[in-house]
Amino acid sequence: MKQQGAHPEDAEGTSDAASRPDTADEHKRDADDGRKTAGKRPSSDADLAEEVRIDEVEGDEPLLPARVHRPSDLMRLLVGVLAIVVLFAISAFAHGTTSGLEQDINKGTGQAPDLLIKIAGLASSIAILLVPVAFAIERLIKRDGLRIADGVLAAVLAHGVTLATDLWVAKAAPGSIQEALTQPSPGDIHALTDPVHGYLAPVIAYMTAVGMSRRPRWRSVLWIVLLLDAFSMLVTGYTTPFSIILTVLIGWTVAYGTLYAVGSPNIRPTGRTLMAGLRTVGFRPVSAAREDTSETSENGDRGRRYFVTLEDGPPLDVTVVDREQQAQGFFYRAWRNLTLRGFATRSSLQSLRQALEQEALLAYAAIAAGANAPKLIATSELGPDAVMLVYEHTDGRTLDSLADDEITDELLHRTWHQVHALQSRRIAHRRLSGDAILVDRSGAVILTDLRGGEIAAGELLLRMDVAQLVTTLGLLAGAERAVASAVGVLGPDAVADCLPMLQPIALTRATRATLRKRARERAQREREAVLEASRQAKQARLEAAEDEATSVVPDRPDKKAVRAEQRAEKRAIDEAVEEAREEDLLTQIRHEVLRIRPQAPVEPARLERVRPRTLISFIAGAIGAYFLLTQLTHIEFGTLFSNAEWGWVIAAVLFSALSYVAAAMSLLGFVPERVPFVRTVGAQVAGSFVKIVAPAAVGGVALNTRFLQRAGVRPGLAVASVGASQLFGLGCHILMLLSFGYLTGTEKTPSLSPSRTVIAGLLTVAVLVLVVTSVPFLRKFAVTRVRSLFAGVVPRMLDVLQRPQKLVTGIGGMLLLTACFVMCLDASIRAFGDESTSLSIASVAVVFLAGNALGSAAPTPGGVGAVEATLTVGLIAVGLPKEVAAPAVLLFRLLTLWLPVLPGWLAFNHLSRKGAL
């Protein structure tokens, strides 16, 4: 393998120059005579035309933007902001630590010789001004004025942030932060030193923005100057350690914020740079054609690919990887690394050198294992921000681009043989999707995109490869053929061992997207089947009615006949649903494997380190707890509870208990079948335990659906009943919120016209509705969701409407449920307040309805944190003192969320033992 840098140490200047015609001409002449002839021009127009022909790049290579927004700059910006926040937190809450640190530093530096201090201060003062000027001159000589402009802009912004920080620390910051960042000035004991150095932060921002960190010599000079300046300022007493750290962080953060906002100069290598780089490793290219490869967040780091023809010899496949492509999908990979276990992910932050070495190692290892893989013949750097990998050309089509009749059983077996060769040497591919498998003209299978693989892979990674490939082939050829081909090559035991890995989280992003698309198509087919069956049943009923109307002596409609027709319609719909129901691909694969190995493990392996819902719940709960604690800081709960009205507390307990009866009524009102009422109340009590371990809008729906199924209601009808209950509940919630909001707005006005706030809220809702209906994407999304909801709910509602007492029970239960919660909150308020602090029922209802809506939308179990904060802020907003609002909300949540957990757990276990859940 040849490996040679394409550019000398001066990275920025040379990489920019590589794309200019003069430099490109020099590389062309190097290919002709094998030695440098810099400075010479073509001797004739024919020579110039020949050179232009040699550097031809085909394939409509897109023009590169002058500037790019690097995700790495955004990451550094966020890290800098976080570090500043942590520094302020330490300064505010660790006052003793900061004071002790300052005393230790002052004691240690006080023994330094005065002469050394003066020399260091003088040298640093001069150098801190000369170094930026010298670097600017050097950059201007290299014709890199854009970097200087970026540096000047960053310095100006850093100076502004410095002034704002100094003003905040002097006027509004807590005393502990002021003491950590300032101290009495040695020249004037009545004055304080600056919290941030007004000249040092702009210099740091300037030097960072112009790219000095990539220049080792200049970087060393910068650090020496900074250390000398910090030392002299500390010794002379003009700063504090925390002030120096804050200065460096502000300069660094503002620099990367500026670079991300305005963009960094694009130094991505072009096709001409690639041609020049190929000559440096001994090739004589004639032309390069850019392949049309998509750069999605998952495979964008695979690089840009070129088909290169040579003056002599077979063509080449060249992959160019630069920092921009490598940074694509960084946040997605970082999220995967956070939520998944280490064996299921790879490093989200990898240098170009590491990426090059890993791909080269995998290419050699795959060929040594006997697998068909592209042969790597050379590597090279294209400046400091790009590398290239040169392969022998492999001609073929990707597996997912083949027609259905071309995917034969023999082709599937050949694919598994290649993967078996890798697995025999413990090599994991990690990207066995359809676009990573090539089929050449002879039918041979070639495995590409090996960069994400691993050598000496563990058993779990190898099983993940099997699960990924059997899913990929299942999408193309069906589950039965995919499993049969895998068993024919790997054996039944190896295929059975992959079942725990057969879960969406273990598959590639593109595969998961395809599975979701197919799931939507299956759901659409099931909805169409239900609608068609319903339409045919109605058509048959209309035809029967027309026949009766045309008869000479029409018979009187018989109730039994009508009910028989309705039952027949329901049976037709159920049969249509059963016929249209399809299993997803992963379930089909499991069934095929279990036919071969019935004892195979089917329990999914635990791949997630932290579930996204858990992480979001923790963050949302922490934010809600913070806002809630800020309201509770100055409240004396001992005195407050000693003066509480316990009669109202008992009333709140009764209203909380009555809410479970109302919840049972609201559910049974939409279930035509006979379901025991007492057991339904027990299920609602059990729901108080379930909603602690799941979001309220999810746990309650799942529990009620399961309860109805166990009570004898068919699965489709159980889902439709719960959906109808939720739909009517949403409608009632919105109507009551608008009604009580209107009444609240008219309470403080002499007429019946609502307040401006209510009008503004209604207008905002109207504008949102207009936006959703006018934007095609949003309108399609809303129509699809509503249609999917009504597809199952409407037939169920037709059954309910034929029993008015059921509908009255359901709607009455919803109204009673809301009334119970509102009265419970009102009783909690009255328990800690008096007549002067009481609120109207309308105001309490508005606050509760708003808080309950937020609790249902919040990802935290039971809306913990979000509901408390919303109710507290809402009660304070409508005029309740926070000394009463905070304990009232705590009592309300205690009675409706926390105290019912134990009875709910007991009810859940009891119903589970009885087979009701």
Side-chain angles (χ1 to χ4, degrees):
M1 179 180 64
K2 299 180 181 180
Q3 189 167 342
Q4 179 178 349
H7 296 280
E9 179 189 9
D10 187 9
E12 288 96 359
T14 310
S15 63
D16 291 340
S19 60
R20 294 194 295 267
D22 294 342
T23 307
D25 291 340
E26 293 172 7
H27 283 293
K28 298 183 191 75
R29 286 188 288 274
D30 291 343
D32 291 336
D33 56 14
R35 56 187 175 86
K36 281 191 174 182
T37 55
K40 296 181 181 179
R41 305 297 301 172
S43 57
S44 65
D45 293 339
D47 294 337
L48 180 61
E50 177 66 18
E51 291 172 3
V52 172
R53 185 191 67 80
I54 290 176
D55 266 353
E56 179 183 2
V57 180
E58 303 172 357
D60 295 330
E61 186 175 27
L63 295 176
L64 300 179
R67 288 180 173 270
V68 292
H69 301 280
R70 303 179 188 272
S72 57
D73 293 337
L74 178 59
M75 281 297 300
R76 292 185 177 97
L77 169 64
L78 297 177
V79 169
V81 172
L82 179 61
I84 292 174
V85 172
V86 171
L87 180 66
F88 281 136
I90 294 175
S91 302
F93 299 106
H95 181 262
T97 302
T98 58
S99 301
L101 180 63
E102 292 179 6
Q103 292 176 3
D104 293 340
I105 292 177
N106 292 334
K107 182 179 179 180
T109 56
Q111 302 176 359
D114 293 338
L115 180 61
L116 177 61
I117 295 174
K118 293 180 180 179
I119 293 176
L122 179 62
S124 62
S125 300
I126 297 175
I128 206 73
L129 298 176
L130 290 182
V131 171
V133 175
F135 189 80
I137 295 174
E138 190 263 353
R139 287 290 89 194
L140 290 175
I141 292 175
K142 295 294 181 65
R143 290 183 289 182
D144 197 9
L146 287 177
R147 292 185 184 272
I148 303 301
D150 294 342
V152 172
L153 177 60
V156 172
L157 294 177
H159 184 65
V161 174
T162 298
L163 295 178
T165 306
D166 288 344
L167 182 62
W168 175 75
V169 172
K171 301 295 184 181
S176 56
I177 294 180
Q178 191 177 77
E179 292 179 9
L181 298 177
T182 62
Q183 63 181 15
S185 177
D188 186 1
I189 60 174
H190 299 290
L192 297 177
T193 59
D194 293 333
V196 183
H197 297 285
Y199 66 91
L200 191 57
V203 170
I204 294 174
Y206 168 83
M207 303 302 279
T208 304
V210 296
M212 181 176 287
S213 59
R214 299 181 181 179
R215 310 293 301 280
R217 296 176 181 175
W218 287 100
R219 184 174 63 236
S220 301
V221 173
L222 175 63
W223 278 109
I224 292 173
V225 170
L226 290 178
L227 290 176
L228 282 176
D229 185 76
F231 174 76
S232 61
M233 296 291 288
L234 278 175
V235 172
T236 54
Y238 282 97
T239 189
T240 66
F242 282 85
S243 176
I244 293 177
I245 297 174
L246 179 61
T247 300
V248 174
L249 289 176
I250 287 179
W252 191 72
T253 304
V254 170
Y256 284 111
T258 304
L259 290 178
Y260 186 76
V262 303
S264 302
N266 194 348
I267 55 177
R268 171 179 285 193
T270 62
R272 292 176 178 268
T273 309
L274 167 66
M275 305 288 273
L278 287 172
R279 294 187 182 92
T280 63
V281 290
F283 296 102
R284 299 170 64 87
V286 175
S287 64
R290 169 79 180 274
E291 294 184 7
D292 185 16
T293 56
S294 60
E295 296 183 359
T296 62
S297 59
E298 183 180 36
N299 62 10
D301 60 343
R302 299 182 186 182
R304 288 175 290 142
R305 301 175 182 179
Y306 293 85
F307 173 74
V308 179
T309 57
L310 304 177
E311 292 183 7
D312 51 352
L316 304 173
D317 290 329
V318 182
T319 299
V320 177
V321 181
D322 53 48
R323 296 189 186 278
E324 294 305 314
Q325 287 173 315
Q326 197 179 29
Q328 286 186 2
F330 169 79
F331 296 107
Y332 171 74
R333 294 194 300 270
W335 172 254
R336 296 269 294 181
N337 287 337
L338 176 65
T339 57
L340 299 184
R341 297 182 182 273
F343 61 81
T345 60
R346 66 182 180 89
S347 174
S348 57
L349 191 61
Q350 194 178 41
S351 67
L352 285 174
R353 171 65 63 178
Q354 291 173 333
L356 184 145
E357 292 174 350
Q358 182 180 8
E359 184 166 353
L361 178 61
L362 264 296
Y364 292 135
I367 294 177
N372 292 333
K375 184 178 180 181
L376 182 66
I377 57 179
T379 61
S380 178
E381 294 180 347
L382 297 179
D385 296 295
V387 295
M388 71 174 180
L389 299 101
V390 184
Y391 294 92
E392 289 185 353
H393 176 62
T394 54
D395 189 13
R397 293 181 295 165
T398 59
L399 191 64
D400 55 5
S401 65
L402 299 179
D404 293 341
D405 56 351
E406 295 180 288
I407 303 178
T408 62
D409 293 339
E410 180 63 26
L411 177 60
L412 299 181
H413 280 80
R414 285 197 294 266
T415 304
W416 281 112
H417 277 294
Q418 297 302 315
V419 175
H420 179 62
L422 293 182
Q423 300 223 336
S424 65
R425 299 295 178 86
R426 314 295 296 183
I427 300 174
H429 189 284
R430 306 297 303 274
R431 280 178 174 173
L432 286 172
S433 54
D435 58 348
I437 302 173
L438 294 181
V439 181
D440 63 11
R441 295 179 180 177
S442 64
V445 176
I446 304 171
L447 301 180
T448 64
D449 293 329
L450 291 165
R451 182 182 308 161
E454 290 188 19
I455 62 171
E459 189 65 29
L460 292 177
L461 289 181
L462 299 180
R463 284 155 54 182
M464 288 175 66
D465 267 4
V466 176
Q468 171 62 52
L469 184 57
V470 74
T471 305
T472 298
L473 299 182
L475 291 171
L476 299 174
E480 182 178 359
R481 294 177 60 194
V483 173
S485 60
V487 171
V489 177
L490 302 181
D493 293 334
V495 179
D497 290 340
C498 81
L499 284 187
M501 300 295 165
L502 200 64
Q503 47 184 306
I505 195 67
L507 306 177
T508 64
R509 197 175 190 181
T511 305
R512 296 199 303 271
T514 304
L515 292 176
R516 287 194 297 268
K517 180 180 178 181
R518 292 201 172 188
R520 290 193 296 267
E521 293 174 352
R522 288 196 309 272
Q524 180 64 27
R525 289 194 292 269
E526 292 180 5
R527 288 193 295 268
E528 292 176 353
V530 171
L531 295 176
E532 178 63 21
S534 178
R535 187 190 65 80
Q536 292 179 359
K538 291 179 181 178
Q539 183 66 26
R541 182 183 299 179
L542 291 176
E543 292 176 355
E546 291 177 357
D547 293 340
E548 293 179 359
T550 56
S551 62
V552 179
V553 183
D555 296 333
R556 190 174 180 180
D558 188 5
K559 291 184 177 180
K560 293 184 178 180
V562 172
R563 292 180 180 177
E565 291 177 358
Q566 294 173 355
R567 288 194 294 269
E569 181 180 352
K570 290 170 58 177
R571 284 196 300 271
I573 293 176
D574 292 341
E575 292 174 359
V577 171
E578 292 295 333
E579 292 178 359
R581 182 175 289 113
E582 305 175 25
E583 291 182 336
D584 63 279
L585 177 63
L586 298 185
T587 302
Q588 295 176 22
I589 293 174
R590 291 190 189 95
H591 290 170
E592 292 295 330
V593 176
L594 290 175
R595 288 193 184 99
I596 301 171
R597 280 289 185 269
Q599 70 277 15
V602 295
E603 185 69 21
R606 179 68 184 276
L607 301 180
E608 291 178 297
R609 179 188 293 115
V610 179
R611 295 182 183 273
R613 189 190 69 193
T614 304
L615 186 62
I616 296 174
S617 299
F618 175 78
I619 295 174
I623 295 174
Y626 170 78
F627 285 108
L628 182 61
L629 290 175
T630 57
Q631 302 293 331
L632 305 179
T633 305
H634 304 290
I635 299 176
E636 297 180 0
F637 286 98
T639 305
L640 197 63
F641 278 98
S642 62
N643 298 327
E645 294 288 341
W646 291 101
W648 285 111
V649 174
I650 296 174
V653 173
L654 295 177
F655 284 124
S656 176
L658 184 60
S659 65
Y660 295 101
V661 178
M665 294 172 56
S666 65
L667 175 62
L668 294 181
F670 298 92
V671 182
E673 294 81 4
R674 293 182 60 86
V675 179
F677 181 78
V678 175
R679 183 164 288 187
T680 306
V681 175
Q684 306 313 304
V685 176
S688 62
F689 164 70
V690 174
K691 67 182 180 181
I692 291 296
V693 296
V698 178
V701 171
L703 183 136
N704 287 328
T705 303
R706 178 71 172 175
F707 170 73
L708 293 179
Q709 291 178 8
R710 289 290 189 177
V713 183
R714 300 175 70 90
L717 300 180
V719 174
S721 295
V722 176
S725 175
Q726 294 288 319
L727 181 63
F728 266 80
L730 176 63
C732 291
H733 195 99
I734 295 175
L735 290 177
M736 285 188 291
L737 182 60
L738 294 176
S739 301
F740 284 115
Y742 180 89
L743 294 176
T744 303
T746 59
E747 285 178 353
K748 298 181 181 180
T749 57
S751 63
L752 292 179
S753 60
S755 65
R756 294 182 179 180
T757 304
V758 176
I759 295 176
L762 294 175
L763 290 177
T764 302
V765 173
V767 169
L768 291 177
V769 172
L770 290 175
V771 170
V772 171
T773 56
S774 60
V775 178
F777 170 76
L778 296 177
R779 183 174 63 250
K780 181 179 179 181
F781 177 81
V783 170
T784 302
R785 295 295 179 183
V786 173
R787 182 181 299 170
S788 63
L789 179 63
F790 275 92
V793 171
V794 170
R796 192 60 165 168
M797 289 308 305
L798 295 177
D799 297 336
V800 174
L801 290 176
Q802 295 174 7
R803 297 185 179 183
Q805 69 275 15
K806 281 284 186 180
L807 187 62
V808 172
T809 301
I811 298 178
M814 292 176 184
L815 298 176
L816 179 60
L817 180 63
T818 302
C820 288
F821 282 125
V822 171
M823 296 306 297
C824 181
L825 180 58
D826 183 70
S828 301
I829 295 172
R830 294 177 183 275
F832 298 101
D834 51 25
E835 293 298 330
S836 62
T837 59
S838 62
L839 299 175
S840 65
I841 293 298
S843 300
V844 176
V846 168
V847 172
F848 164 75
L849 293 170
N852 188 55
L854 181 59
S856 300
T860 56
V864 174
V867 174
E868 287 83 356
T870 305
L871 292 179
T872 305
V873 173
L875 292 176
I876 295 174
V878 296
L880 193 68
K882 68 177 181 179
E883 291 79 7
V884 178
V889 170
L890 289 181
L891 176 61
F892 172 75
R893 293 291 282 171
L894 183 67
L895 297 178
T896 58
L897 179 66
W898 298 111
L899 286 183
V901 170
L902 180 58
W905 178 72
L906 296 175
F908 185 85
N909 289 331
H910 174 73
L911 293 176
S912 298
R913 287 195 303 268
K914 295 294 185 180
L917 286 179

